[in-house]
Amino acid sequence: MLYSDKVLDHFSNPRNVGEIPDADGVGEVGNAKCGDIMKMYLKINGGVIEDVKFKTFGCGAAIATSSMATEMVKGHTIEEALSLTNKAVVEALDGLPTSKIHCSVLAEQAIKAALSDYYKKQGIDPEPIVGNIGECEACHDL
Amino acid sequence: MSSSEKRFIYADNAATTRISADVLDAMMPYLTTEYGNPSSIYALGRNSGFAIEEARAKVAKAIGAKPGEIFFTSCGSESDNWAIKGTLARLAPKGKRHVVTSVFEHHALLHTVQNCGYDYTLVEVDEQGLIDPQKVKAAIREDTAIVSIMFANNEIGTIQPIAEIGKICHEAGVIFHTDAVQAIGNVEIDVNEMNIDMLSLSGHKIHAPKGVGALFCRRSMIPKNLIDGGGQEGAHRAGTENVAGIVALGRAIELATADIPKKVARVSKLRDKLIGNILKIEHTRLNGDPVQRLCGNVNISFEGVEGESLLLSLDNEGICASSGSACTSGSLDPSHVLLSIGLTHEVAHGSLRLSISEDTSGEDVDYILEKIPPVISRLRAMSPLWERIKAAEK
């Protein structure tokens, strides 16, 4: 598996690992059978993601994309986080092997799942804002 | 435990091995001055030809065969393909159109059987990864052409009761082939005592280079050609011989089989130290039989951890190993071997295979044992699956 130095760096020294006990939004995507689960915790204040943490069970790319995605949304507005694409995560990591692209999709979905949870907790239907998050759809594409 | 300096430990000998200095010395003339084509009439060519025959005798001696029963190939996969496809091509016109093999063969065998267009039966293995010879017997049909059961499994290292399976095949009048790529040099093999008709082996698992293998085959059972062309290998396998590779294989197998009991005694002690200590980590399990096991094979699943991230973490510590996780196989499913012995996908994803060799030292084992626990702790600390496993315990 030919990983870029950036992927290896984010795997070996992942940013924002952990949990936020009083998170405003928590999202989990993937499943153990497919071999990857990502869980994201968001702390949101005034529409801005003040803090973000993640926990990931998965391969090197799953951990690296989780780490990169948290870096790309931390300190940004919800709108900016919602516009984060898996492609942007892949580019920020200097590319991913083709068979690992689904990991970046999961990272994008994990952020969106956490934002959906945030809206739900506010009593707001998340679907018009966040959209429908497919259930581990990447697995079915393979 | 005090943290030692970073080392380089190669613990993936089931994947491939280092070319030994002795083997390299033996093959070097055939990469330099002795470049003649063995089919040529002049002395330079004859030198190559003699070298091949010398290597053939060495391979034969290593498994109790006759030189005329050894055919050189490019690798173990080619030997497997040839044995199955060539035998079916030879016997199908006589009504023998069925193959018996096991669910957890190497893909070189399994995919060949599944794709060759003939009928086949896959014998199940038990939870330890052992094959019951009676199940092989039950699977043999009137129209069975060949039974192929691997000598030792490449992932979990289980060694099968080959002599007994061979006896059953012979009683049924069926050809018995075994893929012995992992077994050579680790188990004493005698094709006559063990009722083996065909056997695949490979050079790069025993300190020869990649790109050379062999098929042992009884003269009355030679499969139809897989590769047609010139008259090499008695007109059974065309292609100008890989002279240097063949010479290397001859020397390597001679060295690998010189004193197998001594190797097994030393290496299995290191293996058992690894297994015993790694199993002290909670939520782990040994895959494969603890006793009927290759002396260098360790295969352990760590719940809540994914195999590829485990390998990358060990690589950061200078340790080379492999895994049966889907991520390392390039497919969605984890290893068919681990699933065949009843592991769930979740547990199979978290498997680690360490394959040590006679090169492995006691210090290497201590280093591996020092590095694994913190790597597992770190990955589990960031694993939502581990969180779930621990929550379920409460």
Side-chain angles (χ1 to χ4, degrees):
Chain A
M1 198 58 68
L2 296 173
Y3 284 138
S4 70
D5 288 345
K6 241 185 194 160
V7 172
L8 292 173
D9 175 43
H10 275 264
F11 166 76
S12 301
N13 310 292
R15 283 60 148 177
N16 307 309
V17 176
E19 297 169 33
I20 301 176
D22 59 340
D24 298 308
V26 181
E28 187 181 300
V29 294
N31 65 60
K33 197 180 176 200
C34 292
D36 28 35
I37 303 173
M38 286 184 196
K39 198 168 180 182
M40 295 269 182
Y41 301 79
L42 301 176
K43 192 78 197 151
I44 296 171
N45 197 352
V48 173
I49 297 171
E50 280 194 331
D51 197 11
V52 50
K53 296 273 187 216
F54 81 90
K55 278 181 122 181
T56 291
F57 159 78
C59 63
I63 290 170
T65 53
S66 309
S67 166
M68 182 54 90
T70 59
E71 283 232 299
M72 293 172 83
V73 300
K74 194 173 177 177
H76 289 261
T77 64
I78 291 176
E79 287 69 34
E80 285 166 334
L82 283 171
S83 68
L84 178 75
T85 62
N86 78 296
K87 201 164 160 257
V89 174
V90 173
E91 278 167 13
L93 286 168
D94 292 341
L96 275 180
T98 315
S99 64
K100 299 292 185 179
I101 297 295
H102 77 276
C103 295
S104 66
V105 175
L106 272 184
E108 179 195 320
Q109 287 177 337
I111 298 280
K112 289 190 169 144
L115 286 168
S116 286
D117 182 54
Y118 165 73
Y119 282 118
K120 273 184 209 157
K121 281 180 177 154
Q122 311 282 313
I124 303 166
D125 177 14
E127 207 166 317
I129 308 163
V130 180
N132 187 19
I133 302 158
E135 179 53 34
C136 198
E137 68 185 62
C139 291
H140 305 294
D141 294 344
L142 284 172
Chain B
M1 197 184 288
S2 69
S3 180
S4 54
E5 224 169 277
K6 184 172 170 180
R7 300 168 54 137
F8 175 79
I9 313 264
Y10 186 73
D12 203 13
N13 288 278
T16 196
T17 57
R18 160 190 78 83
I19 300 177
S20 76
D22 196 318
V23 168
L24 188 64
D25 281 349
M27 73 188 288
M28 199 52 102
Y30 302 92
L31 291 167
T32 51
T33 52
E34 299 290 346
Y35 53 84
N37 187 321
S39 300
S40 300
I41 193 77
Y42 40 80
L44 187 71
R46 290 198 303 273
N47 289 348
S48 295
F50 288 135
I52 289 175
E53 293 319 309
E54 204 179 305
R56 197 184 309 282
K58 286 176 182 172
V59 174
K61 185 167 177 253
I63 57 171
K66 298 187 192 87
E69 297 172 324
I70 304 298
F71 302 90
F72 291 110
T73 63
S74 65
C75 58
S77 294
E78 185 194 327
S79 300
D80 284 347
N81 270 262
W82 185 21
I84 299 299
K85 291 176 182 170
T87 298
L88 285 165
R90 185 171 75 83
L91 296 179
K94 296 174 187 168
K96 303 276 186 187
R97 312 168 60 84
H98 175 245
V99 184
V100 174
T101 186
S102 78
V103 288
F104 80 160
E105 294 292 313
H106 190 278
H107 284 141
L109 204 295
L110 201 56
H111 288 168
T112 298
V113 169
Q114 287 168 334
N115 296 334
C116 70
Y118 292 96
D119 237 9
Y120 58 87
T121 302
L122 302 181
V123 176
E124 300 284 334
V125 300
D126 71 14
E127 285 178 1
Q128 302 295 309
L130 288 167
I131 292 169
D132 177 357
Q134 291 309 313
K135 286 196 174 164
V136 176
K137 188 176 184 177
I140 295 174
R141 310 193 314 207
E142 233 1 63
D143 64 342
T144 302
I146 185 166
V147 170
S148 180
I149 300 292
M150 70 199 313
F151 208 118
N153 187 272
N154 51 310
E155 291 187 39
I156 57 172
T158 43
I159 301 169
Q160 305 303 333
I162 288 299
E164 209 179 322
I165 295 169
K167 187 164 173 261
I168 284 168
C169 294
H170 287 179
E171 282 165 2
V174 176
I175 295 173
F176 178 48
H177 167 261
T178 184
D179 178 333
V181 165
Q182 296 290 340
I184 294 286
N186 291 312
V187 185
E188 288 194 274
I189 299 176
D190 184 298
V191 291
N192 294 313
E193 282 175 16
M194 293 178 162
N195 311 305
I196 298 165
D197 298 316
M198 291 188 196
L199 177 148
S200 300
L201 61 93
S202 171
H204 76 108
K205 309 291 192 190
I206 52 170
H207 304 289
K210 295 147 193 75
V212 64
L215 180 70
F216 151 77
C217 180
R218 299 197 181 278
R219 297 296 305 185
S220 60
M221 300 174 186
I222 299 172
K224 275 208 167 181
N225 289 3
L226 189 66
I227 299 177
D228 282 304
Q232 292 87 359
E233 298 298 288
H236 295 296
R237 199 279 188 183
T240 299
E241 299 88 337
N242 171 7
V243 183
I246 289 169
V247 169
L249 173 57
R251 182 62 181 141
I253 204 166
E254 192 177 31
L255 293 167
T257 54
D259 195 348
I260 292 173
K262 188 178 159 199
K263 177 190 171 182
V264 170
R266 196 186 86 80
V267 178
S268 58
K269 204 175 276 178
L270 295 175
R271 172 199 69 191
D272 292 340
K273 185 175 179 185
L274 280 170
I275 292 172
N277 283 284
I278 296 172
L279 288 179
K280 287 180 188 163
I281 300 172
E282 61 174 329
H283 287 275
T284 52
R285 60 158 279 163
L286 176 68
N287 300 315
D289 193 89
V291 180
Q292 292 302 318
R293 184 178 199 97
L294 288 174
C295 60
N297 177 285
V298 175
N299 190 310
I300 288 178
S301 288
F302 300 86
E303 286 182 47
V305 171
E306 194 281 327
E308 191 204 87
S309 52
L310 175 52
L311 298 187
L312 286 170
S313 302
L314 291 176
D315 183 38
N316 283 341
E317 304 294 349
I319 300 167
C320 307
S322 76
S323 168
S325 85
C327 280
T328 55
S329 72
S331 74
L332 192 61
D333 287 323
S335 141
H336 69 292
V337 173
L338 297 177
L339 297 180
S340 77
I341 57 168
L343 265 64
T344 61
H345 279 62
E346 288 89 324
V347 176
H349 283 305
S351 73
L352 171 71
R353 180 187 72 183
L354 298 164
S355 43
I356 58 172
S357 78
E358 60 278 12
D359 290 344
T360 310
S361 68
E363 290 78 48
D364 292 343
V365 166
D366 291 341
Y367 181 83
I368 293 169
L369 288 173
E370 178 195 323
K371 295 301 176 188
I372 285 180
V375 160
I376 297 296
S377 298
R378 173 183 172 269
L379 292 171
R380 281 178 171 173
M382 67 163 91
S383 165
L385 182 58
W386 179 246
E387 191 183 302
R388 224 178 274 170
I389 291 164
K390 293 309 278 182
E393 276 179 354
K394 283 177 188 164

